[in-house]
Amino acid sequence: MLHIFLDKTKKRSFTRQIYTAIREKILSGELEAGKSLPSSRDLSRELCVARNTVLTAYDMLVSEGTVYSVAGSGFYVSSGVKCEPRSISVDDQQTASLSDFVITEKTINFDSGLPALDLFPRSKWNRTVSRAFMNAPVSALGYDDPQGRPEFRSVLCAYLKKTRGISCKPEQIIVTAGTKQGLSLAAKCLLDSRSEVWIENPSNANVKQIFSYHTEKITPFEVDAQGLQPKLFPVLGKPTLIFTTPSHQFPMGGILPMQRRVELTRFARKSGAYLLEDDYDSEFTYDAPPSNSLFELDGEHVIYLGTFSKVLFPSVRLGYLVAPLCLVPQIRELKRMADHHTNSTYQLALMQFIENGDLERHIRRMKKEYKNRRDCLLELLHTRFGEHVRIHGAAAGMHVVAEFEGAAFTGERIRRLLQSGVYVAPVENHSLTKGNHAHQIILGYAGLTTDAMARGLDLLKAELQLDTHLHPST
Amino acid sequence: MLHIFLDKTKKRSFTRQIYTAIREKILSGELEAGKSLPSSRDLSRELCVARNTVLTAYDMLVSEGTVYSVAGSGFYVSSGVKCEPRSISVDDQQTASLSDFVITEKTINFDSGLPALDLFPRSKWNRTVSRAFMNAPVSALGYDDPQGRPEFRSVLCAYLKKTRGISCKPEQIIVTAGTKQGLSLAAKCLLDSRSEVWIENPSNANVKQIFSYHTEKITPFEVDAQGLQPKLFPVLGKPTLIFTTPSHQFPMGGILPMQRRVELTRFARKSGAYLLEDDYDSEFTYDAPPSNSLFELDGEHVIYLGTFSKVLFPSVRLGYLVAPLCLVPQIRELKRMADHHTNSTYQLALMQFIENGDLERHIRRMKKEYKNRRDCLLELLHTRFGEHVRIHGAAAGMHVVAEFEGAAFTGERIRRLLQSGVYVAPVENHSLTKGNHAHQIILGYAGLTTDAMARGLDLLKAELQLDTHLHPST
């Protein structure tokens, strides 16, 4: 008698239940090496199942080597398959902290990267994706081109020429799963532990983190209201890579003037550095018309990073980089080893979306909407904080920086705000030299309604009133 | 007069054309610093466009700093914006070689990783994806959980328990863009330049390449017909990671017996090494019933890699890894920096596909089909090559290894076969010690019809008849 309990309410087949039960007994040592198993006839009677059910379970045990059969005699437990007891590997305490997300769907989230997801034309995109998938050639279901599908790259190429002034060939484009992947690929292609990297300060915190996987030599240089300042470049040192966000400096919001762009590309040519241009939200310009890209000025020293996270939606995980042709084979191979290629169906769908004019239509509509939301945010900030707030970088993009003289956005304050229901990111989080930006926060407005913004700012005001000198009258 | 030519057939707006033309003249130095631009009234008359069109173009130039305006006077070229001429960055010659793909849709492709794409239930999957996207919560459109959506991980967890005997918590699962990404993440998490890695020999060539980004200390150990041999483990050295494919050794096809699994996990526990288990095609077993995973024997020393490339289709780019809980926070962060997260819609769709039973139904159907295709391939090989061919690893998976005594599958021969219309991969490509596998090729059969296989093998036979000693009678 093996004392196997078959649970008829379980989804698992009887065969599998028998197999698992016997296996457990063998691995635990309860059934010792050399011991014979009951005959299939006996066990099937004992368990009231078909004899074949038992035989299949025995076959499974034999095929994995746990049990061996002797012709005409029966089934025996193999030697060497007793397994030391496992200690419990899952610690409930630790588990809880892992899934401890603090931003919920109810949080008023001033995150800078969130577009107006509720205004995204879901049905239209869905129809486009659906059609693209049904009409996709078989090759788009198999392992696809690591660089991205050639027909998509061609369409993207024309689109970039039209909208960003970028002259490139489809062979220079590598389709990525978004800007982070583009950054990783460029970093892996160009950097080793001896490489020097210069980055704008402040800069998106992820950027430094990605570079620091490769080198410790990361030098920040300060930006002003217009963006990076070539005159502040370190006098010594020879950077391999310079990271910049010329269209809308992140997070401070400057738009880099042409003089500095020319100086920057000239420096790159002279020093042999590559410029890594992150063009994350250049589609949205309000008080200024869209400027062209840095890539356009020097296609040989600029690696251009583009994304569809802001103009479509972040979870579409679709971006691209445009690189000088000499870097393409290596980046392409790194992309192949990273995840083989990016979603083929989405490439085909986006191709249609661009060709139909749907993408530009959506961008135009969002640009109008985001301008309204920005105006609304500025108005709300003004009525609530008056002269106590200063705004930076409002001319373009999806966020502003709000500066509260004398305030300090410490971790504790941010947590308290979060508990009260509003999330804002301190600029300090993105600063490489600590202490200069403690009084500034990033306010993304693209994803928020007027009502949500008003409530969020009320919560912010309530929190800041703790600093009495900010509002002596209240 | 600026001599600007407006092309009415172009898609670009007149504003953009004017902006670009003036900009080019300034960057090239044709319009020098300090020079005044024609008044908007004059230029609009000259070009026969509305005055506003010109004014907008001028505004764009001003906003980027190329031009400045003097109130009441007009527009002038800024200084410092002349740009050195770019050399031509796109070399046509090089471009051609980059897109030089040799495997076309017409090639009879014995690639081992290709499922039967024509039998995939496209409409059903499409409907599932479409519904998932339309019903997705807003959070599934924004930046999502780097580890994968919790509800998907829960369903996957139950599925793994049922089909692979894996007992884990959803918190241990990290959703990836496929096995290559899983390998990269595990490697990046565990390895540095001092780390020692042991890998099965032969092994998928990509595996060594991914590890070699981190360390040069990669030691191969030989497999036999049953898979890895713990008795051949190096006597010296202390591996950080051991790479293995116990369910169906790639490429040789062995299924690892229980004794060796126990020995292997015991070794891992003793030495502190992690076992990286790549379970790439374990769903398809024919002569043997499915065995369980290595992870099941020791969840603390095994990192399990799973993929949906074979059971759905490769371009779905959806896989996962199951890791000991202590490694999860670091791998999760590496995933976030690699590409933030994997496609949310597909996670939601696959969740439905699993819960509806559609996935298991499809796998059952494919298993039957692949068994037929395998039988057919073996029969075709037998009738064409008789005793000159020896087959390895046919009991499971989607490929076999065919061995032709005395033949040599050199690069030249593979290219010649490719030109004649058939692709086969030499085992030698995946061998870390050269010379032992020159007479063996991998024949993937899952994606090929009987007819295609027959034609492919005819081409192979014609090629091999050059080696007269193989077929003395013909």
Side-chain angles (χ1 to χ4, degrees), chain A residues 201-216:
Chain A
N201 188 33
S203 252
N204 189 316
N206 296 323
V207 172
K208 191 196 164 188
Q209 191 173 339
I210 288 171
F211 292 148
S212 67
Y213 289 138
H214 301 278
T215 178
E216 286 173 6

PDB file of all heavy atoms in Angstrom, chain A residues 201-216:
ATOM      1  N   ASN A 201      23.823  68.051 -15.516  1.00  0.00           N
ATOM      2  CA  ASN A 201      23.434  67.984 -14.113  1.00  0.00           C
ATOM      3  C   ASN A 201      22.457  69.118 -13.795  1.00  0.00           C
ATOM      4  O   ASN A 201      22.783  70.274 -14.016  1.00  0.00           O
ATOM      5  CB  ASN A 201      24.660  68.118 -13.213  1.00  0.00           C
ATOM      6  CG  ASN A 201      24.316  67.862 -11.757  1.00  0.00           C
ATOM      7  OD1 ASN A 201      23.435  67.050 -11.465  1.00  0.00           O
ATOM      8  ND2 ASN A 201      24.970  68.578 -10.856  1.00  0.00           N
ATOM      9  N   PRO A 202      21.242  68.795 -13.297  1.00  0.00           N
ATOM     10  CA  PRO A 202      20.706  67.449 -13.097  1.00  0.00           C
ATOM     11  C   PRO A 202      20.339  66.736 -14.404  1.00  0.00           C
ATOM     12  O   PRO A 202      20.210  67.369 -15.435  1.00  0.00           O
ATOM     13  CB  PRO A 202      19.449  67.711 -12.263  1.00  0.00           C
ATOM     14  CG  PRO A 202      19.082  69.132 -12.512  1.00  0.00           C
ATOM     15  CD  PRO A 202      20.324  69.856 -12.831  1.00  0.00           C
ATOM     16  N   SER A 203      20.203  65.419 -14.292  1.00  0.00           N
ATOM     17  CA  SER A 203      19.822  64.539 -15.396  1.00  0.00           C
ATOM     18  C   SER A 203      18.971  63.416 -14.826  1.00  0.00           C
ATOM     19  O   SER A 203      19.143  63.072 -13.659  1.00  0.00           O
ATOM     20  CB  SER A 203      21.070  63.884 -15.997  1.00  0.00           C
ATOM     21  OG  SER A 203      21.395  64.405 -17.254  1.00  0.00           O
ATOM     22  N   ASN A 204      18.135  62.815 -15.648  1.00  0.00           N
ATOM     23  CA  ASN A 204      17.356  61.663 -15.209  1.00  0.00           C
ATOM     24  C   ASN A 204      18.257  60.665 -14.457  1.00  0.00           C
ATOM     25  O   ASN A 204      19.290  60.241 -14.972  1.00  0.00           O
ATOM     26  CB  ASN A 204      16.728  60.990 -16.432  1.00  0.00           C
ATOM     27  CG  ASN A 204      15.732  59.905 -16.058  1.00  0.00           C
ATOM     28  OD1 ASN A 204      15.996  59.099 -15.162  1.00  0.00           O
ATOM     29  ND2 ASN A 204      14.602  59.899 -16.716  1.00  0.00           N
ATOM     30  N   ALA A 205      17.846  60.302 -13.243  1.00  0.00           N
ATOM     31  CA  ALA A 205      18.686  59.450 -12.389  1.00  0.00           C
ATOM     32  C   ALA A 205      19.038  58.113 -13.044  1.00  0.00           C
ATOM     33  O   ALA A 205      20.097  57.547 -12.790  1.00  0.00           O
ATOM     34  CB  ALA A 205      17.986  59.215 -11.047  1.00  0.00           C
ATOM     35  N   ASN A 206      18.145  57.614 -13.904  1.00  0.00           N
ATOM     36  CA  ASN A 206      18.413  56.337 -14.565  1.00  0.00           C
ATOM     37  C   ASN A 206      19.647  56.402 -15.462  1.00  0.00           C
ATOM     38  O   ASN A 206      20.337  55.404 -15.653  1.00  0.00           O
ATOM     39  CB  ASN A 206      17.227  55.926 -15.447  1.00  0.00           C
ATOM     40  CG  ASN A 206      15.974  55.670 -14.633  1.00  0.00           C
ATOM     41  OD1 ASN A 206      16.055  55.147 -13.531  1.00  0.00           O
ATOM     42  ND2 ASN A 206      14.827  56.055 -15.169  1.00  0.00           N
ATOM     43  N   VAL A 207      19.865  57.573 -16.035  1.00  0.00           N
ATOM     44  CA  VAL A 207      20.968  57.731 -16.977  1.00  0.00           C
ATOM     45  C   VAL A 207      22.296  57.440 -16.289  1.00  0.00           C
ATOM     46  O   VAL A 207      23.097  56.630 -16.756  1.00  0.00           O
ATOM     47  CB  VAL A 207      20.959  59.163 -17.568  1.00  0.00           C
ATOM     48  CG1 VAL A 207      22.203  59.400 -18.401  1.00  0.00           C
ATOM     49  CG2 VAL A 207      19.701  59.380 -18.391  1.00  0.00           C
ATOM     50  N   LYS A 208      22.494  58.067 -15.148  1.00  0.00           N
ATOM     51  CA  LYS A 208      23.745  57.827 -14.429  1.00  0.00           C
ATOM     52  C   LYS A 208      23.859  56.351 -14.029  1.00  0.00           C
ATOM     53  O   LYS A 208      24.916  55.745 -14.132  1.00  0.00           O
ATOM     54  CB  LYS A 208      23.829  58.713 -13.182  1.00  0.00           C
ATOM     55  CG  LYS A 208      25.221  58.667 -12.590  1.00  0.00           C
ATOM     56  CD  LYS A 208      25.317  59.182 -11.188  1.00  0.00           C
ATOM     57  CE  LYS A 208      26.636  58.707 -10.593  1.00  0.00           C
ATOM     58  NZ  LYS A 208      26.734  59.002  -9.170  1.00  0.00           N
ATOM     59  N   GLN A 209      22.731  55.801 -13.585  1.00  0.00           N
ATOM     60  CA  GLN A 209      22.750  54.405 -13.143  1.00  0.00           C
ATOM     61  C   GLN A 209      23.185  53.472 -14.290  1.00  0.00           C
ATOM     62  O   GLN A 209      23.996  52.573 -14.092  1.00  0.00           O
ATOM     63  CB  GLN A 209      21.366  54.015 -12.624  1.00  0.00           C
ATOM     64  CG  GLN A 209      21.374  52.672 -11.900  1.00  0.00           C
ATOM     65  CD  GLN A 209      20.043  52.355 -11.231  1.00  0.00           C
ATOM     66  OE1 GLN A 209      19.247  53.247 -10.958  1.00  0.00           O
ATOM     67  NE2 GLN A 209      19.795  51.084 -10.981  1.00  0.00           N
ATOM     68  N   ILE A 210      22.649  53.713 -15.470  1.00  0.00           N
ATOM     69  CA  ILE A 210      23.000  52.860 -16.615  1.00  0.00           C
ATOM     70  C   ILE A 210      24.479  53.007 -16.970  1.00  0.00           C
ATOM     71  O   ILE A 210      25.172  52.018 -17.195  1.00  0.00           O
ATOM     72  CB  ILE A 210      22.092  53.180 -17.817  1.00  0.00           C
ATOM     73  CG1 ILE A 210      20.680  52.644 -17.545  1.00  0.00           C
ATOM     74  CG2 ILE A 210      22.644  52.580 -19.113  1.00  0.00           C
ATOM     75  CD1 ILE A 210      19.626  53.063 -18.544  1.00  0.00           C
ATOM     76  N   PHE A 211      24.980  54.241 -16.980  1.00  0.00           N
ATOM     77  CA  PHE A 211      26.398  54.423 -17.293  1.00  0.00           C
ATOM     78  C   PHE A 211      27.288  53.791 -16.233  1.00  0.00           C
ATOM     79  O   PHE A 211      28.349  53.269 -16.533  1.00  0.00           O
ATOM     80  CB  PHE A 211      26.731  55.916 -17.419  1.00  0.00           C
ATOM     81  CG  PHE A 211      26.108  56.569 -18.618  1.00  0.00           C
ATOM     82  CD1 PHE A 211      25.722  57.902 -18.584  1.00  0.00           C
ATOM     83  CD2 PHE A 211      25.897  55.846 -19.786  1.00  0.00           C
ATOM     84  CE1 PHE A 211      25.143  58.500 -19.702  1.00  0.00           C
ATOM     85  CE2 PHE A 211      25.312  56.433 -20.905  1.00  0.00           C
ATOM     86  CZ  PHE A 211      24.935  57.759 -20.859  1.00  0.00           C
ATOM     87  N   SER A 212      26.820  53.861 -14.976  1.00  0.00           N
ATOM     88  CA  SER A 212      27.691  53.402 -13.900  1.00  0.00           C
ATOM     89  C   SER A 212      27.855  51.879 -13.886  1.00  0.00           C
ATOM     90  O   SER A 212      28.708  51.370 -13.177  1.00  0.00           O
ATOM     91  CB  SER A 212      27.177  53.892 -12.542  1.00  0.00           C
ATOM     92  OG  SER A 212      25.959  53.258 -12.255  1.00  0.00           O
ATOM     93  N   TYR A 213      27.050  51.147 -14.689  1.00  0.00           N
ATOM     94  CA  TYR A 213      27.318  49.714 -14.840  1.00  0.00           C
ATOM     95  C   TYR A 213      28.629  49.497 -15.584  1.00  0.00           C
ATOM     96  O   TYR A 213      29.207  48.417 -15.548  1.00  0.00           O
ATOM     97  CB  TYR A 213      26.198  49.018 -15.632  1.00  0.00           C
ATOM     98  CG  TYR A 213      24.880  48.895 -14.889  1.00  0.00           C
ATOM     99  CD1 TYR A 213      23.674  49.126 -15.531  1.00  0.00           C
ATOM    100  CD2 TYR A 213      24.846  48.523 -13.558  1.00  0.00           C
ATOM    101  CE1 TYR A 213      22.465  49.004 -14.860  1.00  0.00           C
ATOM    102  CE2 TYR A 213      23.652  48.401 -12.878  1.00  0.00           C
ATOM    103  CZ  TYR A 213      22.464  48.651 -13.533  1.00  0.00           C
ATOM    104  OH  TYR A 213      21.275  48.518 -12.864  1.00  0.00           O
ATOM    105  N   HIS A 214      29.078  50.540 -16.312  1.00  0.00           N
ATOM    106  CA  HIS A 214      30.254  50.367 -17.164  1.00  0.00           C
ATOM    107  C   HIS A 214      31.484  51.118 -16.667  1.00  0.00           C
ATOM    108  O   HIS A 214      32.596  50.655 -16.826  1.00  0.00           O
ATOM    109  CB  HIS A 214      29.926  50.802 -18.594  1.00  0.00           C
ATOM    110  CG  HIS A 214      28.798  50.033 -19.191  1.00  0.00           C
ATOM    111  ND1 HIS A 214      28.962  48.797 -19.755  1.00  0.00           N
ATOM    112  CD2 HIS A 214      27.465  50.304 -19.271  1.00  0.00           C
ATOM    113  CE1 HIS A 214      27.796  48.343 -20.172  1.00  0.00           C
ATOM    114  NE2 HIS A 214      26.867  49.231 -19.886  1.00  0.00           N
ATOM    115  N   THR A 215      31.261  52.307 -16.105  1.00  0.00           N
ATOM    116  CA  THR A 215      32.413  53.111 -15.683  1.00  0.00           C
ATOM    117  C   THR A 215      32.064  53.927 -14.448  1.00  0.00           C
ATOM    118  O   THR A 215      30.895  54.255 -14.213  1.00  0.00           O
ATOM    119  CB  THR A 215      32.877  54.053 -16.814  1.00  0.00           C
ATOM    120  OG1 THR A 215      33.973  54.844 -16.346  1.00  0.00           O
ATOM    121  CG2 THR A 215      31.753  54.992 -17.264  1.00  0.00           C
ATOM    122  N   GLU A 216      33.098  54.242 -13.679  1.00  0.00           N
ATOM    123  CA  GLU A 216      32.887  55.112 -12.517  1.00  0.00           C
ATOM    124  C   GLU A 216      33.185  56.562 -12.850  1.00  0.00           C
ATOM    125  O   GLU A 216      32.882  57.461 -12.072  1.00  0.00           O
ATOM    126  CB  GLU A 216      33.786  54.650 -11.368  1.00  0.00           C
ATOM    127  CG  GLU A 216      33.289  53.369 -10.728  1.00  0.00           C
ATOM    128  CD  GLU A 216      34.260  52.824  -9.697  1.00  0.00           C
ATOM    129  OE1 GLU A 216      35.268  53.515  -9.404  1.00  0.00           O
ATOM    130  OE2 GLU A 216      34.030  51.714  -9.208  1.00  0.00           O
TER     131      GLU A 216
END
